[in-house]
Amino acid sequence: MIDIMERTERDTFGPINTAKYTLGLSQSADIETLRCLHQQRWLAPALPATVSNFAFAEDNTVLGVYVDQVPWRLAHALGEDTPRARQQAAEMATHLLLRRPSRLRDTVMELEATAALAYLDGLLDRSYDEPPVPEHRRQEAYETFHEALLNGFNLRQLIAVAWMAASSSVAWGQRTPGLKAGSVSAACVTNIDRRISVAHDRPVPEYDLPNWVSMPATHATAQRLLKQHEAVAGVLNQFRSLRQSVVTRDAESLEYEDGDTTADLDSGWGESAVVFALITPDGRLTFQSEIPSAMRDKVSYAGGGVDRVILHEPRTIHAYVGELVTATPENDNPVANEALRLLDCYDGPFYGPVAFFSVSARSNRPQSLDSQQQELLTLAHQVAKTRTQLSTSDI
């Protein structure tokens, strides 16, 4: 939904009863999804809406909203700055979805199997004046398409297989008098299964999906997210492995004592130089050695305040972000925000440069990043930069 709002440059989405496509597998599934998002306070009804779009009790209190009849906007709790709210919600959702690539692949296959079945129904109706696949064979047809996708077929190959199966089934029907209505359509399901079974040993042509079959909108979004995951999978595995090593090392070598870790947050340190990492709004990562006050100046644009971001894994890395930095395109720092999310920080988005530095178990005074921490931040930066570049490109 956020992708669609971004492309159409609108602050709302819907109503879905006027859309010529679905978000997911069906309009009924879309209605249930919107209902859940509304109940969980992710979405709110938006204008234009009329009294007829709502259900009322006898005392004129609102019982509910007809989900398919109203436009929707992101919940007011996410902020009234709609572009920023969209960005924040999209970044949170993307980060969580990218942690479940197998579920994303399942979603793509479910949508493609459904599209293949829709194509077969449309082909039978449009080209051969035959009824759609009978109800008692529809689940079998869907499972045949889905299993083929699991075994390495792509959607364009399934379209070719469905076209050939329909053609041969219709030819069989024309040669066989006295068939019941729906027999040809049912035979298509059997033919598709047979053709897929023998196609493993020979090349399979690929046909484009015709424009009269609308792919669910979620398909393109899921494919984009999968492309992001595949582009960074190797580096991401290195990052996760190293992060676990750093977390384990810290837990084994340091004793966290209450009262010490909350002291000395931002004042009272000496002016010895520390090695820190800086991610600037243009996406660059550099390691620099400066005294802590100079590090703070770089984040706060020389004189402004800073906020400290305390990470949880690893606990020995903190970050400085500028306080009240103007949210402008020039100050936007999507790479740093994605790197922070990889380190389990879901606050933000933050603007301006972001500095990462080390702390010890007994003191939160800035210290130099060690070699493992520097490598960890380098890997996080690589993943974050690739994801950010892919999310802003035309996929």
Side-chain angles (χ1 to χ4, degrees), residues 109-121 124 131-150 155 158-159 161-162 165 184-194 196:
M109 291 182 186
E110 290 167 3
L111 297 173
E112 290 183 346
T114 301
L117 182 55
Y119 167 75
L120 180 59
D121 283 339
L124 289 168
V133 174
E135 193 65 34
H136 69 283
R137 300 295 300 273
R138 296 190 70 79
Q139 185 63 29
E140 179 186 349
Y142 171 85
E143 291 175 355
T144 299
F145 285 132
H146 191 268
E147 185 176 358
L149 291 166
L150 287 171
L155 177 59
L158 294 186
I159 297 305
V161 169
V184 170
S185 301
C188 284
V189 179
T190 303
N191 272 333
I192 289 170
D193 187 39
R194 290 174 179 170
I196 288 175

Side-chain angles (χ1 to χ4, degrees), residues 16-310:
I16 62 173
N17 65 355
T18 61
K20 297 180 180 179
Y21 57 88
T22 62
L23 292 174
L25 295 174
S26 64
Q27 189 178 60
S28 61
D30 290 351
I31 291 173
E32 184 59 30
T33 299
L34 287 170
R35 181 181 291 113
C36 290
L37 291 171
H38 178 43
Q39 290 172 344
Q40 295 172 19
R41 304 295 189 268
W42 282 98
L43 298 177
L47 296 175
T50 65
V51 173
S52 63
N53 300 140
F54 297 86
F56 295 89
E58 292 183 358
D59 61 356
N60 290 328
T61 58
V62 176
L63 290 175
V65 59
Y66 293 103
V67 171
D68 61 334
Q69 296 181 11
V70 298
W72 293 92
R73 54 155 288 160
L74 292 174
H76 298 274
L78 293 172
E80 295 303 321
D81 183 348
T82 305
R84 182 173 178 178
R86 280 203 303 263
Q87 178 188 7
Q88 185 174 356
E91 287 175 348
M92 282 192 294
T94 298
H95 179 77
L96 294 172
L97 287 168
L98 287 173
R99 298 175 69 175
R100 304 176 64 194
S102 61
R103 185 66 190 94
L104 278 174
R105 293 190 188 94
D106 290 344
T107 295
V108 169
M109 291 182 186
E110 290 167 3
L111 297 173
E112 290 183 346
T114 301
L117 182 55
Y119 167 75
L120 180 59
D121 283 339
L123 181 66
L124 289 168
D125 175 45
R126 288 168 172 264
S127 298
Y128 301 113
D129 198 25
E130 293 283 349
V133 174
E135 193 65 34
H136 69 283
R137 300 295 300 273
R138 296 190 70 79
Q139 185 63 29
E140 179 186 349
Y142 171 85
E143 291 175 355
T144 299
F145 285 132
H146 191 268
E147 185 176 358
L149 291 166
L150 287 171
N151 291 329
F153 284 79
N154 61 46
L155 177 59
R156 298 177 77 246
Q157 290 173 323
L158 294 186
I159 297 305
V161 169
W163 184 87
M164 291 184 287
S167 177
S168 62
S169 296
V170 169
W172 166 78
Q174 292 173 345
R175 298 192 305 268
T176 309
L179 292 175
K180 296 180 180 180
S183 296
V184 170
S185 301
C188 284
V189 179
T190 303
N191 272 333
I192 289 170
D193 187 39
R194 290 174 179 170
R195 288 178 179 273
I196 288 175
S197 297
V198 301
H200 291 285
D201 302 323
R202 63 189 69 180
V204 180
E206 298 186 7
Y207 295 169
D208 290 327
L209 195 68
N211 56 16
W212 44 265
V213 178
S214 297
M215 282 297 298
T218 306
H219 183 260
T221 302
Q223 281 192 317
R224 171 173 60 79
L225 292 172
L226 279 176
K227 187 170 183 179
Q228 288 184 6
H229 172 78
E230 291 164 2
V232 299
V235 178
L236 185 60
N237 287 336
Q238 294 179 49
F239 164 79
R240 288 172 174 165
S241 177
L242 181 57
R243 184 175 67 171
Q244 186 59 41
S245 296
V246 172
V247 170
T248 302
R249 178 199 68 181
D250 293 346
E252 291 175 348
S253 63
L254 302 175
E255 294 182 0
Y256 291 91
E257 298 180 1
D258 293 339
D260 288 334
T261 57
T262 58
D264 301 322
L265 279 176
D266 295 307
S267 63
W269 58 70
E271 286 295 277
S272 299
V274 298
V275 176
F276 63 96
L278 189 72
I279 300 181
T280 49
D282 60 5
R284 289 185 302 158
L285 167 70
T286 57
F287 291 96
Q288 304 179 22
S289 179
E290 299 274 3
I291 58 176
S293 58
M295 172 176 62
R296 287 166 56 88
D297 285 346
K298 290 191 174 183
V299 172
S300 63
Y301 291 123
V306 298
D307 288 324
R308 180 183 289 239
V309 176
I310 300 176

